Amino acid sequence: MTSTTSSPRRAAAAAFIGTTIEFYDFYIYAFAAALVLGQLFFPSENPMLSTMAAFGSFAVGFIARPFAGMVFGHLGDRLGRKKMLLVTIVLMGLATTCIGLLPTYAQAGIWAPIGLVVLRLLQGISVGGEWGGAVLMASEHAPKGRKMFFASFAQWGSPAGLLLALIAFRCISEMEQDALMSWGWRIPFLMSGVLMMVGLAIRFGVPESPEFAEVKDSGQTSENPVLEVIRKDWKSILFAALAVTIGSGGFFFTNTFMITYVTQYQGIAKTTILDCLFVVTVLQFLSQPCSALLAERLGEGRFLKWVASLCILVPYPMFLLVQTGNLFYMTAGIALAVILLAALYAVIAGYMAEAFQARVRYSGISIAYQLGSGVSGGLTPLIGTFLAGHFAGQWWPLAIFFSGLALMSLIGVLGLAYLRGVNAKAVGLRLSQGVV
């Protein structure tokens, strides 16, 4: 028999620190793709083609995520959340460290980009399994009535990891160009090995999720949770995948594509946009827990509907401010968008988790999140780069694209709210009829 003592604060802290490390690894690849990987691994006379090739390798990691979500979701619902989180943090740390040791195209020819893509796939597999487990370890340890807020700690790791990645790249961006391109770019990747050991030490000390332990002790674990959740809850998976669209795609729009946009199409220095994004990320880091607390007071469903609606409108003032080229106005414009994205991102994890039963919850939220973020997050920088090149000098196609991502999230939130209402009525009817 499994015995698990709930430890809400410790579980929330472990979820936060673990996802911070995972997202640091993921974001440093995104920044490297925007700044150096195109030249080092995909050299071309056309800078746009090199950048698109680098973003293509970035997208590869997202392609792996839905499949990884299925595999780790199955194992997490069968064997436990904690075991999967130990595996994913080791896998991410090793893959990222090895990227920092890779020879470039000039040194190894075609084997260099092949090795980069393979390691990027491993990164994607790791994140595909990490997110669902971290959310559930925090929410399933949470006190009654606080699941949404505690689940937000796993989401809080995203801006924290981004801050670490921005600091790392801001430091190396001060290097001489030759030093940066020869060895400086490797430093942020090699730091991952140290962070991996920190994450492992913290996660070893957290007990298994009490909700999973209860399911396991009662013999109610699913024989095939992936097939079960797809068969019974495919509508919840679909709407949840739509709901996370702007939370993933929007961040990679503002934090990854925007670097390329302002440096290549507006002639703004790399250090300027990195400073801008650093301030924006600090504001995101501070605002996310406040958004989760506000959502608890207002009601998560109502809060998410309003935020998703505002996200449809926000790219237009954002681009008007970015077009000024002024650091203060650029920061204000991007911050306005990111704070709204962060508000949705902070709350959506716990809202999604409530849509699935504990016996299939790891599988359900992992498939939904990785499907939604895999498509939107992986393709957004590529589509943005294409639109910026095709409509050179015009920002409105990019704003419309951003609004489309937000509209998909609004549809997903409305769909989840509808299903929750239907399920609540069904439960109430069974209770009134004396059916357990």
Side-chain angles (χ1 to χ4, degrees), residues 259-296:
I259 296 175
T260 299
Y261 177 74
V262 301
T263 55
Q264 291 190 11
Y265 296 94
Q266 291 190 278
I268 294 171
K270 294 175 183 177
T271 52
T272 300
I273 184 60
L274 289 175
D275 287 343
C276 167
L277 291 177
F278 181 80
V279 174
V280 168
T281 307
V282 170
L283 294 174
Q284 178 192 348
F285 182 80
L286 296 174
S287 70
Q288 265 193 217
C290 297
S291 295
L293 289 171
L294 181 60
E296 272 192 346

Coordinates of all heavy atoms in Angstrom, one line a residue, residues 259-296:
I259 N 12.4 39.3 -31.4 CA 13.9 39.6 -31.5 C 14.3 39.7 -32.9 O 15.0 40.6 -33.3 CB 14.7 38.4 -30.7 CG1 14.3 38.4 -29.3 CG2 16.2 38.7 -30.9 CD1 15.0 37.3 -28.5
T260 N 13.9 38.7 -33.7 CA 14.2 38.7 -35.1 C 13.6 39.9 -35.8 O 14.2 40.6 -36.6 CB 13.8 37.4 -35.8 OG1 14.4 36.3 -35.2 CG2 14.1 37.5 -37.3
Y261 N 12.3 40.2 -35.5 CA 11.6 41.3 -36.2 C 12.2 42.6 -36.0 O 12.5 43.4 -36.9 CB 10.1 41.3 -35.6 CG 9.3 42.4 -36.2 CD1 8.8 42.4 -37.5 CD2 9.0 43.6 -35.5 CE1 8.1 43.4 -38.1 CE2 8.2 44.6 -36.0 CZ 7.8 44.5 -37.3 OH 7.0 45.5 -37.8
V262 N 12.6 43.0 -34.7 CA 13.1 44.3 -34.5 C 14.6 44.4 -34.9 O 15.0 45.5 -35.2 CB 12.9 44.7 -33.0 CG1 11.4 44.7 -32.6 CG2 13.7 43.9 -32.1
T263 N 15.3 43.3 -34.8 CA 16.7 43.4 -35.2 C 16.9 43.4 -36.7 O 17.7 44.2 -37.3 CB 17.6 42.3 -34.6 OG1 17.0 41.0 -34.9 CG2 17.6 42.4 -33.1
Q264 N 16.2 42.6 -37.4 CA 16.4 42.5 -38.9 C 15.5 43.5 -39.7 O 15.9 43.9 -40.8 CB 16.0 41.0 -39.3 CG 17.0 40.0 -38.9 CD 16.8 38.6 -39.5 OE1 16.1 38.5 -40.5 NE2 17.5 37.6 -39.0
Y265 N 14.4 43.9 -39.2 CA 13.5 44.7 -40.0 C 13.4 46.1 -39.5 O 12.9 47.0 -40.2 CB 12.1 44.1 -40.0 CG 12.0 42.8 -40.7 CD1 12.2 41.6 -40.0 CD2 12.0 42.7 -42.1 CE1 12.2 40.3 -40.7 CE2 12.0 41.5 -42.8 CZ 12.1 40.3 -42.1 OH 12.1 39.1 -42.7
Q266 N 13.9 46.4 -38.2 CA 13.8 47.7 -37.7 C 15.2 48.2 -37.4 O 15.4 49.4 -37.0 CB 12.9 47.8 -36.5 CG 11.4 47.7 -36.9 CD 10.5 48.0 -35.7 OE1 10.3 47.2 -34.8 NE2 10.1 49.3 -35.7
G267 N 16.2 47.4 -37.5 CA 17.6 47.8 -37.3 C 17.9 48.1 -35.8 O 18.9 48.9 -35.5
I268 N 17.2 47.5 -34.9 CA 17.4 47.8 -33.5 C 18.5 46.8 -33.0 O 18.5 45.6 -33.3 CB 16.1 47.7 -32.7 CG1 15.2 48.8 -33.1 CG2 16.3 47.7 -31.2 CD1 13.8 48.6 -32.6
A269 N 19.4 47.3 -32.1 CA 20.5 46.4 -31.6 C 19.9 45.2 -30.8 O 18.9 45.3 -30.1 CB 21.4 47.3 -30.7
K270 N 20.6 44.1 -30.8 CA 20.3 42.9 -30.0 C 20.2 43.2 -28.6 O 19.2 42.8 -27.9 CB 21.3 41.8 -30.3 CG 21.3 41.3 -31.7 CD 22.4 40.2 -31.8 CE 22.6 39.7 -33.2 NZ 23.7 38.8 -33.4
T271 N 21.1 44.0 -28.1 CA 21.1 44.3 -26.6 C 19.9 45.1 -26.2 O 19.4 45.0 -25.1 CB 22.4 45.1 -26.2 OG1 22.5 46.2 -27.1 CG2 23.6 44.2 -26.4
T272 N 19.4 46.0 -27.1 CA 18.2 46.8 -26.8 C 17.0 45.9 -26.6 O 16.3 46.1 -25.6 CB 18.0 47.8 -27.9 OG1 19.1 48.7 -28.0 CG2 16.8 48.7 -27.6
I273 N 16.8 45.0 -27.6 CA 15.5 44.2 -27.4 C 15.7 43.2 -26.3 O 14.7 42.9 -25.6 CB 15.2 43.4 -28.8 CG1 13.9 42.7 -28.7 CG2 16.4 42.5 -29.2 CD1 12.7 43.5 -28.4
L274 N 16.9 42.7 -26.0 CA 17.1 41.9 -24.8 C 16.8 42.6 -23.5 O 16.2 42.0 -22.6 CB 18.5 41.2 -24.9 CG 18.8 40.2 -25.9 CD1 20.2 39.8 -25.9 CD2 17.9 39.0 -25.8
D275 N 17.2 43.9 -23.5 CA 16.9 44.7 -22.3 C 15.4 44.9 -22.1 O 14.9 44.8 -21.0 CB 17.6 46.0 -22.4 CG 19.1 45.9 -22.1 OD1 19.6 44.9 -21.6 OD2 19.9 46.9 -22.5
C276 N 14.8 45.1 -23.3 CA 13.3 45.3 -23.3 C 12.6 44.1 -22.8 O 11.8 44.1 -21.9 CB 12.9 45.7 -24.7 SG 11.1 45.6 -25.0
L277 N 13.0 42.9 -23.3 CA 12.4 41.7 -22.9 C 12.7 41.3 -21.5 O 11.8 40.7 -20.8 CB 12.8 40.5 -23.8 CG 12.3 40.6 -25.3 CD1 12.9 39.5 -26.1 CD2 10.8 40.6 -25.3
F278 N 13.8 41.7 -21.0 CA 14.1 41.4 -19.6 C 13.2 42.2 -18.6 O 12.6 41.6 -17.7 CB 15.6 41.9 -19.2 CG 16.0 41.6 -17.8 CD1 16.4 40.3 -17.4 CD2 15.9 42.6 -16.9 CE1 16.7 40.0 -16.1 CE2 16.3 42.3 -15.5 CZ 16.7 41.0 -15.2
V279 N 12.9 43.5 -18.9 CA 12.0 44.2 -18.1 C 10.6 43.6 -18.2 O 9.9 43.5 -17.2 CB 12.0 45.7 -18.6 CG1 10.9 46.5 -17.8 CG2 13.3 46.4 -18.3
V280 N 10.2 43.3 -19.4 CA 8.9 42.7 -19.7 C 8.7 41.4 -18.9 O 7.7 41.1 -18.3 CB 8.6 42.4 -21.2 CG1 7.4 41.6 -21.4 CG2 8.5 43.8 -21.9
T281 N 9.7 40.6 -18.9 CA 9.7 39.3 -18.2 C 9.6 39.5 -16.7 O 8.9 38.7 -16.0 CB 10.9 38.4 -18.6 OG1 10.9 38.3 -20.0 CG2 10.7 37.0 -18.0
V282 N 10.3 40.5 -16.1 CA 10.2 40.8 -14.7 C 8.7 41.1 -14.4 O 8.2 40.7 -13.4 CB 11.1 41.9 -14.3 CG1 10.8 42.4 -12.9 CG2 12.6 41.5 -14.4
L283 N 8.1 42.0 -15.2 CA 6.7 42.3 -15.0 C 5.8 41.1 -15.1 O 4.9 40.9 -14.3 CB 6.3 43.4 -16.0 CG 7.0 44.7 -15.9 CD1 6.5 45.6 -17.1 CD2 6.6 45.4 -14.6
Q284 N 6.1 40.2 -16.0 CA 5.3 38.9 -16.2 C 5.5 38.1 -14.9 O 4.5 37.6 -14.4 CB 5.8 38.1 -17.4 CG 5.1 36.8 -17.5 CD 5.8 35.9 -18.5 OE1 6.6 36.3 -19.3 NE2 5.4 34.6 -18.5
F285 N 6.7 38.0 -14.4 CA 7.0 37.2 -13.2 C 6.2 37.7 -12.0 O 5.7 36.9 -11.2 CB 8.5 37.2 -13.0 CG 8.9 36.4 -11.8 CD1 9.1 35.0 -11.9 CD2 9.2 37.0 -10.5 CE1 9.5 34.2 -10.8 CE2 9.6 36.2 -9.4 CZ 9.7 34.9 -9.6
L286 N 6.2 39.0 -11.9 CA 5.4 39.6 -10.8 C 3.9 39.5 -10.9 O 3.2 39.4 -9.9 CB 5.9 41.1 -10.6 CG 7.3 41.3 -10.3 CD1 7.7 42.8 -10.3 CD2 7.7 40.7 -8.9
S287 N 3.5 39.6 -12.2 CA 2.0 39.7 -12.4 C 1.3 38.3 -12.4 O 0.1 38.2 -12.0 CB 1.7 40.4 -13.7 OG 2.1 39.5 -14.8
Q288 N 2.0 37.2 -12.7 CA 1.4 35.9 -12.8 C 0.7 35.5 -11.5 O -0.5 35.1 -11.6 CB 2.4 34.9 -13.3 CG 2.3 34.7 -14.8 CD 3.0 33.5 -15.4 OE1 3.6 33.6 -16.4 NE2 3.0 32.4 -14.7
P289 N 1.4 35.4 -10.4 CA 0.7 35.0 -9.2 C -0.5 35.9 -8.8 O -1.5 35.5 -8.3 CB 1.8 35.0 -8.1 CG 2.9 35.9 -8.7 CD 2.8 35.7 -10.1
C290 N -0.3 37.2 -9.1 CA -1.4 38.1 -8.8 C -2.7 37.8 -9.7 O -3.8 37.8 -9.2 CB -1.0 39.6 -9.1 SG 0.3 40.2 -8.1
S291 N -2.4 37.4 -10.9 CA -3.5 37.0 -11.8 C -4.2 35.7 -11.3 O -5.4 35.6 -11.4 CB -2.9 36.7 -13.2 OG -2.4 37.9 -13.8
A292 N -3.4 34.8 -10.8 CA -4.0 33.5 -10.3 C -4.9 33.8 -9.1 O -5.9 33.3 -8.9 CB -2.9 32.6 -9.9
L293 N -4.4 34.7 -8.2 CA -5.2 35.1 -7.0 C -6.5 35.8 -7.4 O -7.5 35.6 -6.8 CB -4.4 36.0 -6.1 CG -3.2 35.3 -5.3 CD1 -2.3 36.3 -4.6 CD2 -3.8 34.2 -4.3
L294 N -6.4 36.7 -8.4 CA -7.5 37.5 -8.9 C -8.6 36.5 -9.5 O -9.8 36.7 -9.3 CB -7.1 38.5 -9.9 CG -8.2 39.4 -10.5 CD1 -8.9 40.2 -9.4 CD2 -7.6 40.3 -11.5
A295 N -8.1 35.5 -10.2 CA -9.0 34.5 -10.9 C -9.7 33.7 -9.8 O -10.9 33.4 -10.0 CB -8.2 33.6 -11.8
E296 N -9.0 33.4 -8.7 CA -9.7 32.7 -7.6 C -10.9 33.5 -7.1 O -11.9 33.0 -6.7 CB -8.7 32.4 -6.5 CG -8.0 31.1 -6.6 CD -7.3 30.7 -5.3 OE1 -7.1 31.6 -4.4 OE2 -6.8 29.6 -5.3

